[in-house]
Amino acid sequence: MTDTQKLAEQLLAGERRALARAITLVESAREDHRATARELLERLGHSGRQAVRIGLSGTPGVGKSTFIEAFGMMLTEQGLRVAVLAVDPSSARTGGSILGDKTRMERLSRDPNAFIRPSPSQTHLGGVARRTREAVALCEASGFDVVLIETVGVGQSETVVAEMCDLFLLLLAPAGGDELQGVKRGIMEMADLILVNKADGDLKPAATRTCSDYAGALRLMRKRPQDPEGFPKALMVSALHEDGLNTAWEEMSALIEWRRENGHFDGRRQAQAQYWFEQEVRQGLLARLDTAAAREAMALAAKDVASGEKTPTAAAGEVLAALKDN
Amino acid sequence: MTDTQKLAEQLLAGERRALARAITLVESAREDHRATARELLERLGHSGRQAVRIGLSGTPGVGKSTFIEAFGMMLTEQGLRVAVLAVDPSSARTGGSILGDKTRMERLSRDPNAFIRPSPSQTHLGGVARRTREAVALCEASGFDVVLIETVGVGQSETVVAEMCDLFLLLLAPAGGDELQGVKRGIMEMADLILVNKADGDLKPAATRTCSDYAGALRLMRKRPQDPEGFPKALMVSALHEDGLNTAWEEMSALIEWRRENGHFDGRRQAQAQYWFEQEVRQGLLARLDTAAAREAMALAAKDVASGEKTPTAAAGEVLAALKDN
């Protein structure tokens, strides 16, 4: 039995260390690791196992870690196995990484039915996307029932996460007054469920108002074909007091159920697979610029462009011709 | 003398019909037209003529046409030659095109020192960008002093325009109350000058308030190295009453002057040329997906991906290998 076969079998048997090793493998940029990762994914591709993939977005301060810990614990108490991954294109820049500090989720990280994986440090969102997608597939093959994919509210990471999820949650904190403007319209349109966290203590009235503001805003949005009546929805939760989490999970389950029955669940997964296929092709083509020879040719041509010796179009034509010959 | 040589000489002599024909040539997607266009641009590249390139953004209703007509007339009355171009990636979808209706600028379109060119119908923003960039170069070679590039406030067209301009103007209408939220932060950050139009009649008080709101917001922004003290600025104008246009032009001229003296004018043009060079290389690579054979291979592979037979990564690998062989 080859090492890859063995890893696949351990992973299918639900061994956590095998899963962790497999994720390390798909995160690697080394060419031999990539080849092994492809072989592994190919082997696991027909496991037939499917988790509910839930994307979770929220800016720092809304209580994402507390929510994930409380929500994750609630799910494992119901006998479900929960994996938590993160997409954080900023981690390479800041040096930190979300979920990096597992102590923020002390209980969940010790739970045998939970698996938490911090985001890898990557500069390139395309690379982050592929690795996360592959990590999701590994978690599914490993028998997890729910995969939570966390992201921070920056740049395009929401789009990346939404394109690999069955459900997209937006976590918000209560705010005073006119806070609708703080959330980008595009992110609101992705959300299946808006959860206003910290609906406890002093903040309860503000949470109620914020929740009702968002519920109103959601009602004004055009109904999407993939939604039953009443969705997308805004709900209040308190991760701290573990309030409203079960209701939120029931709403998610009902939505998933409806989408499965109406063909939207599979339809979305198919559309996502096609989307990632096209992204992979585009990125694969652009990767041809990522060799030492190509970078050198680009730098030389860029000089001629800056000096005005060549037009951008002419210089680009020469570089493209050189790339074709090699 | 070849046709291209002749066209180049007529264009350098400032013949308007030669300019119009040359722009039609660069707008064409036909391969032989592209070759002729490249030859023409190469010939004109060393004319040494330079216009002030001014980008102008503003959503429908702010009075862009009225502003361009009044501002353009003021410039031609000072003896300057003015060309007006448009970047409108939406025109292909809507069937219309901005600047399409020249009757909205009746006086300017009859002015012998002005040249107005509606946006071509294009679906692809990359294509729009290249053609507009080349049209700007043609206008410069043809001896225009000012090239105005208009865009509507949608999608990425502002970025495209900002990357080909020396100056970027944002035209706004007066608004009641809290209107700052209506303008995307990214667009405000691009603006060198915010012009609050319709500062006349009933709307004067609202214009004053709006202008002061924006002036305040601009002061809160980090100072950019390419700006002298006091920039970016917010000013009131009335295109209808031709009020404030001269002041606005004086501010623009002062800013350009300062940037020229401090090396930022040339620096920006060089950075823009490099940016477009890189864009051209990327688009050139991606254009390999735009052949009938590549589209067919993509469609076939996409089916296997949707059915779950192949992973996105595996299918992409096969398509990329096939592209390499051809």
Side-chain angles (χ1 to χ4, degrees):
Chain A
M1 190 155 45
T2 68
D3 284 356
T4 315
Q5 262 178 301
K6 206 170 143 195
L7 185 58
E9 293 198 0
Q10 290 170 333
L11 197 142
L12 286 167
E15 287 186 26
R16 297 162 60 94
R17 279 165 64 188
L19 175 60
R21 259 175 42 227
I23 295 183
T24 303
L25 189 67
V26 301
E27 281 173 2
S28 168
R30 259 176 57 182
E31 206 34 67
D32 57 331
H33 289 171
R34 289 298 312 147
T36 315
R38 272 194 294 272
E39 192 197 327
L40 179 67
L41 289 162
E42 213 60 54
R43 277 183 188 283
L44 299 172
H46 303 284
S47 75
R49 290 174 176 170
Q50 218 177 43
V52 175
R53 306 172 184 170
I54 304 177
L56 174 70
S57 172
T59 46
V62 301
K64 273 206 305 292
S65 305
T66 318
F67 173 81
I68 293 172
E69 164 131 308
F71 186 65
M73 290 302 295
M74 183 202 69
L75 294 176
T76 59
E77 276 157 25
Q78 296 186 11
L80 297 168
R81 295 185 68 209
V82 180
V84 185
L85 305 170
V87 170
D88 180 10
S90 66
S91 64
R93 250 177 299 139
T94 61
S97 86
I98 52 175
L99 288 176
D101 187 7
K102 281 200 195 180
T103 55
R104 292 181 308 153
M105 300 183 203
E106 215 182 322
R107 283 160 62 214
L108 193 63
S109 63
R110 282 198 315 255
D111 190 319
N113 285 318
F115 177 87
I116 301 181
R117 180 78 178 196
S119 63
S121 284
Q122 293 285 157
T123 34
H124 181 42
L125 194 55
V128 173
R130 182 200 288 164
R131 281 156 189 79
T132 309
R133 223 155 20 87
E134 291 175 347
V136 170
L138 295 174
C139 292
E140 288 196 317
S142 186
F144 283 90
D145 303 293
V146 175
V147 180
L148 268 172
I149 308 164
E150 175 191 4
T151 186
V152 288
V154 291
Q156 298 198 277
S157 59
E158 267 81 12
T159 312
V160 167
V161 171
E163 285 292 349
M164 54 177 79
C165 282
D166 305 314
L167 271 184
F168 193 76
L169 310 182
L170 177 59
L171 197 68
L172 297 172
D178 190 14
E179 77 135 351
L180 280 183
Q181 56 183 299
V183 174
K184 286 184 224 127
R185 190 175 167 78
I187 294 180
M188 266 193 65
E189 282 169 357
M190 284 178 205
D192 296 302
L193 218 51
I194 290 181
L195 300 177
V196 180
N197 192 21
K198 305 192 184 180
D200 46 49
D202 279 0
L203 288 172
K204 187 84 182 254
T208 308
R209 201 172 50 233
T210 301
C211 186
S212 124
D213 284 353
Y214 277 96
L218 289 175
R219 271 193 297 274
L220 292 177
M221 277 170 32
R222 197 166 36 184
K223 192 175 172 310
R224 305 177 300 184
Q226 70 271 32
D227 287 335
E229 209 53 58
F231 280 94
K233 237 172 227 191
L235 298 174
M236 279 190 283
V237 296
S238 163
L240 191 67
H241 293 182
E242 300 176 14
D243 255 4
L245 300 177
N246 201 39
T247 307
W249 175 237
E250 280 167 9
E251 294 285 0
M252 292 178 219
S253 303
L255 181 57
I256 290 287
E257 192 55 33
W258 189 88
R259 285 190 185 160
R260 277 194 202 276
E261 280 167 13
N262 290 274
H264 295 299
F265 188 89
D266 288 341
R268 179 164 170 161
R269 287 219 170 177
Q270 281 170 21
Q272 287 175 341
Q274 291 192 334
Y275 171 85
W276 289 116
F277 159 67
E278 280 165 28
Q279 292 294 314
E280 290 275 335
V281 172
R282 295 168 66 91
Q283 277 162 29
L285 272 176
L286 294 176
R288 297 189 186 170
L289 299 175
D290 229 14
T291 64
R295 274 194 295 266
E296 195 181 333
M298 290 283 285
L300 272 173
K303 265 187 208 165
D304 291 343
V305 169
S307 70
E309 197 150 321
K310 284 178 190 160
T311 66
T313 312
E318 289 171 22
V319 168
L320 286 167
L323 282 173
K324 210 161 200 167
D325 292 343
N326 292 329
Chain B
M1 190 155 43
T2 68
D3 284 356
T4 316
Q5 261 179 304
K6 206 170 144 194
L7 185 58
E9 291 197 2
Q10 290 169 333
L11 196 145
L12 287 167
E15 288 184 25
R16 299 163 58 94
R17 280 167 60 190
L19 175 59
R21 258 176 41 227
I23 294 182
T24 303
L25 190 67
V26 301
E27 281 174 1
S28 168
R30 259 178 56 183
E31 206 35 65
D32 57 330
H33 288 171
R34 289 296 314 147
T36 314
R38 272 193 294 272
E39 190 196 329
L40 179 67
L41 289 162
E42 214 59 54
R43 276 183 189 284
L44 298 172
H46 304 283
S47 76
R49 290 173 175 169
Q50 219 176 43
V52 175
R53 306 172 184 170
I54 304 177
L56 175 69
S57 172
T59 46
V62 300
K64 274 207 304 294
S65 304
T66 318
F67 174 81
I68 292 172
E69 164 130 308
F71 186 67
M73 291 302 293
M74 182 202 70
L75 294 176
T76 59
E77 276 158 25
Q78 296 186 13
L80 296 169
R81 295 185 68 210
V82 180
V84 185
L85 306 170
V87 170
D88 180 11
S90 66
S91 63
R93 249 176 300 141
T94 60
S97 87
I98 53 175
L99 287 175
D101 186 8
K102 280 200 194 181
T103 55
R104 292 181 307 154
M105 301 184 203
E106 215 183 323
R107 284 161 64 214
L108 193 63
S109 64
R110 284 198 315 256
D111 189 320
N113 285 318
F115 177 87
I116 301 180
R117 180 80 178 195
S119 64
S121 284
Q122 293 283 159
T123 35
H124 181 44
L125 193 56
V128 173
R130 181 201 287 165
R131 282 157 189 76
T132 310
R133 223 157 18 90
E134 291 174 347
V136 170
L138 294 173
C139 292
E140 289 195 316
S142 186
F144 283 91
D145 303 293
V146 175
V147 180
L148 268 173
I149 308 164
E150 176 191 4
T151 187
V152 287
V154 290
Q156 298 198 279
S157 60
E158 267 82 11
T159 312
V160 167
V161 171
E163 284 292 348
M164 54 176 78
C165 280
D166 305 315
L167 271 183
F168 193 77
L169 309 182
L170 177 59
L171 198 68
L172 297 172
D178 190 14
E179 76 134 353
L180 281 183
Q181 56 183 300
V183 174
K184 285 183 223 125
R185 189 174 166 80
I187 294 181
M188 264 192 68
E189 282 169 355
M190 285 177 202
D192 296 303
L193 218 52
I194 289 181
L195 300 177
V196 181
N197 192 22
K198 306 192 183 180
D200 47 49
D202 278 0
L203 288 172
K204 188 83 183 255
T208 308
R209 201 174 49 233
T210 301
C211 187
S212 124
D213 284 353
Y214 276 95
L218 289 174
R219 270 192 299 273
L220 292 178
M221 278 170 33
R222 197 167 37 186
K223 194 178 171 307
R224 305 177 301 185
Q226 71 271 31
D227 287 335
E229 209 53 58
F231 280 92
K233 240 173 224 187
L235 298 174
M236 279 190 284
V237 297
S238 162
L240 191 67
H241 294 182
E242 300 175 16
D243 254 5
L245 300 176
N246 202 37
T247 306
W249 175 238
E250 280 167 10
E251 294 284 0
M252 293 178 219
S253 303
L255 181 58
I256 290 286
E257 191 57 32
W258 188 89
R259 285 190 183 161
R260 277 194 201 278
E261 281 167 11
N262 291 274
H264 295 297
F265 188 89
D266 289 340
R268 178 163 170 160
R269 288 218 169 178
Q270 282 169 19
Q272 288 174 340
Q274 291 192 334
Y275 171 86
W276 289 117
F277 158 67
E278 280 164 26
Q279 293 293 316
E280 290 275 335
V281 172
R282 294 168 66 90
Q283 277 162 29
L285 271 177
L286 294 177
R288 294 185 190 174
L289 300 176
D290 229 12
T291 65
R295 274 194 295 266
E296 196 181 329
M298 290 282 285
L300 272 174
K303 265 187 209 163
D304 291 341
V305 169
S307 70
E309 196 149 323
K310 284 178 190 161
T311 67
T313 312
E318 287 170 23
V319 169
L320 287 166
L323 282 173
K324 210 161 200 166
D325 291 342
N326 292 330

